[in-house]
Amino acid sequence: MVDAHPTMIEVPERPEVQAAAPVRFFHRSRLRWNLPLAIGAAMVLLSLALALAAPWLTSHDPLEIADASLSPPSSEFLLGTDQLGRDVLTRILHAARSSLAVACLSAALAFVSGTLIGLVAGYSSGAIDACLMRLLDILQAFPALLLAIALVAALGPNLPNLVLTMGLLFMPRFARVARASTLSVRERDYITAAIGLGVSRARTMLRHVLPNIAAPLIVEASLTVTIAILTEASLSFLGLGVQPPDPTWGGMIAESTSVMALAPWLALSPGFAMVFVVIGFTLMGDGLRDALDPRG
Amino acid sequence: MLRYAATRIVFAVPVLVGVSLMSFAIIHLIPGDIVSVLAGPTVALDSEAAQNIRRALHLDQPLPVQYGIWLSGALHGDFGNSLVMGLPVGPQIASHLPVTLLLTALSLVFALLIGLPGGVVAATTRGRWPDLAIRGVGLLGLSTPPFFVGVAAVLLLSIYWPSFKTLGVVDLHRDLVGSLQTLLLPAFVLSLAAATTIMRYTRAAMLEVLAEPFMATARAKGAGRLRVLIRHGLRNALLPVVTAVGVTAAHLVAGAVVVEQVFGLPGIGQLMLNAIYHRDYTQVQATVLVVTTLVVLINIVVDLSYYLLDPRIQQHG
């Protein structure tokens, strides 16, 4: 945990400092850069940039059907074409957009809802805490992927439902981390001081507790994105992700299995793209944990 | 022991009730009227046929009554009839479950065979190349979903080792040995992520144990290096590893659903996905309930095994 700092209590009193409060953890003195963090962050940034710039990076359209099905990698189709003659590189880049969108949005949803629940549970303790935690126990008893499959199948496979379902599934992770950290921060002197000064309950939680439990939550967010990407890929492999013809990594791998002997590049390239992004987020998460851990 | 076990089981009851409620709720999450989904758009919602479907599914009853009927049936092993086949769901699950259980158990064995030695070696060579290599491979193992490993493995084996039988028929009753052989590759593929988790837990636990004074004592008393590592080190590091097994069990069961699809294995995953593709929601409901209950039970067994492994819990509990 971040140590109680003398200036911490003053922070909410000064609007101009308040606005900068969330950035505090990335201040040079707090964030000690390490190799995994640097490599991971670079990989994540590269992936995000490629995904965002996808429409301008290749001269093809992900749905455009060329008169060259299953053509091997060439100068025109850098990673070849699939059985319908669509450019594989273009499809991989566009798949990154939907995959990263689903993963980041569901992680964000889980982050916000889970943090709120954990904060309230940890800060109020007693019956509210017990009730919320038992509900999370139930949610976590399900094997995540299994529940995701069932829920998406029932609700219908589309982007909002994927984000909702996965957000719900990942929410307990954040709630537990937030609750545990809140329990330890709650006993700090600056919280007692805030209460003594008559700061309201909600304000104490959001302005005094939240900034001090942010570090482990940020680490959790980075690792949750990796699980979200893998879950989304598994769902779309099973045909329960973003629906064709829009490309997804899992869907591309699933489609490729029928022509695997003829066109091995079809199965491997989307997989490698996915593994690259996941490794990036994992390294970033591990690196952040080391960088933000005051004991390290 | 009995008291500890009893408390643990009592604690699981509300979780299981919640699990059954959520499994029950799945069928009611389907947008629109389930009857129109089942009967097709041509059947009017107030027609005789629609009413019959409603009655058969007890949809004309209030929700709590529906849940009661469903749960009491489920407790007796009656999960209702398949909406598509019209056959009882229970026997279907019973015939598909062994393949999934065998696949999960085999991959757990693989995960332990890879993860335990990997973790011990990584811990003893901390910071040097074997440690870095093991952790690097582990990162890859965690970052690659089993379905991609499966597809890549089938692809590479078919190119470089054409005689290796990557896909085969699994029929536990007729050909147990052949089925086991067929399950080896899927189990290995499924085990990689779990092996990494177990490796990480083992490494962390071993690093802590290695710093303990009793390790130096054992060495000083003249015990061999390997003996110290295994008898004094690993035995004391085992408790977190058991936790890892509990954590991975749930992942393995869920992962099995996907891996079965890659290798065409007739397990519970195939049953569930076929049910989903055919909109057979009673089947989906029952499958989710059975598998999740199984995972809850596995976690109880893991908790109880702490008790057997660690005498310190026995004194407190």
Side-chain angles (χ1 to χ4, degrees), chain A residues 142 149 151 154 237-238 260 279, chain B residues 29 31 143 147 155 276-277 292:
Chain A
F142 286 94
I149 292 172
L151 284 177
F237 177 76
L238 298 173
M260 206 152 65
I279 288 182
Chain B
L29 284 174
S143 306
F147 74 85
L155 182 66
I276 284 174
Y277 298 144
T292 309

Side-chain angles (χ1 to χ4, degrees), chain B residues 37-259:
Chain B
V37 173
L38 294 173
T42 52
V43 177
L45 284 179
D46 49 356
S47 71
E48 186 83 10
Q51 291 300 340
N52 283 340
I53 294 177
R54 232 179 279 275
R55 250 194 304 280
L57 291 174
H58 307 290
L59 289 176
D60 48 351
Q61 309 277 345
L63 272 181
V65 177
Q66 288 183 38
Y67 172 69
I69 294 173
W70 179 71
L71 188 64
S72 73
L75 287 174
H76 294 99
D78 172 18
F79 295 94
N81 290 342
S82 157
L83 298 179
V84 177
M85 314 274 281
L87 297 167
V89 170
Q92 287 272 3
I93 291 179
S95 71
H96 284 77
L97 200 53
V99 174
T100 306
L101 289 181
L102 202 56
L103 177 64
T104 312
L106 269 178
S107 59
L108 194 57
V109 171
F110 273 125
L112 285 169
L113 285 179
I114 303 167
L116 274 181
V120 173
V121 171
T124 47
T125 60
R126 179 185 197 178
R128 284 180 281 133
W129 69 264
D131 179 28
L132 297 178
I134 288 170
R135 282 161 67 196
V137 173
L139 179 63
L140 210 59
L142 268 189
S143 306
T144 320
F147 74 85
F148 179 55
V149 182
V151 169
V154 171
L155 182 66
L156 295 178
L157 284 171
S158 64
I159 294 172
Y160 296 107
W161 192 1
S163 59
F164 188 91
K165 208 176 67 167
T166 50
L167 305 170
V169 182
V170 172
D171 189 334
L172 297 183
H173 296 295
R174 293 221 189 101
D175 183 8
L176 188 61
V177 179
S179 304
L180 276 175
Q181 280 174 351
T182 314
L183 282 177
L184 281 182
L185 181 64
F188 177 73
V189 164
L190 179 57
S191 74
L192 293 181
T196 307
T197 309
I198 290 175
M199 183 273 285
R200 288 185 159 190
Y201 275 80
T202 311
R203 180 176 177 275
M206 277 303 279
L207 281 179
E208 258 176 43
V209 172
L210 285 176
E212 295 276 352
F214 63 73
M215 294 295 283
T217 311
R219 286 286 288 157
K221 281 177 141 179
R225 196 175 145 72
L226 202 64
R227 189 185 154 87
V228 172
L229 263 186
I230 306 293
R231 295 258 325 195
H232 299 260
L234 191 58
R235 250 185 101 179
N236 281 295
L238 219 52
L239 211 56
V241 176
V242 175
T243 314
V245 170
V247 172
T248 51
H251 288 290
L252 283 177
V253 174
V257 171
V258 186
V259 170

Side-chain angles (χ1 to χ4, degrees), chain A residues 69-73 80-83 255-267, chain B residues 155 158-159:
Chain A
S69 81
L70 294 183
S71 60
T81 59
D82 65 5
Q83 49 269 64
E255 286 165 19
S256 77
T257 52
S258 56
V259 288
M260 206 152 65
L262 295 170
W265 62 88
L266 278 184
Chain B
L155 182 66
S158 64
I159 294 172

Side-chain angles (χ1 to χ4, degrees), chain A residues 221-242:
Chain A
S222 183
L223 298 176
T224 299
V225 172
T226 67
I227 297 173
I229 293 174
L230 294 177
T231 307
E232 187 272 340
S234 297
L235 285 173
S236 53
F237 177 76
L238 298 173
L240 295 168
V242 172

Side-chain angles (χ1 to χ4, degrees), chain A residues 141-167:
Chain A
F142 286 94
L145 186 57
L146 192 78
L147 189 59
I149 292 172
L151 284 177
V152 171
L155 292 169
N158 57 43
L159 203 131
N161 284 345
L162 282 170
V163 171
L164 262 178
T165 304
M166 286 165 57

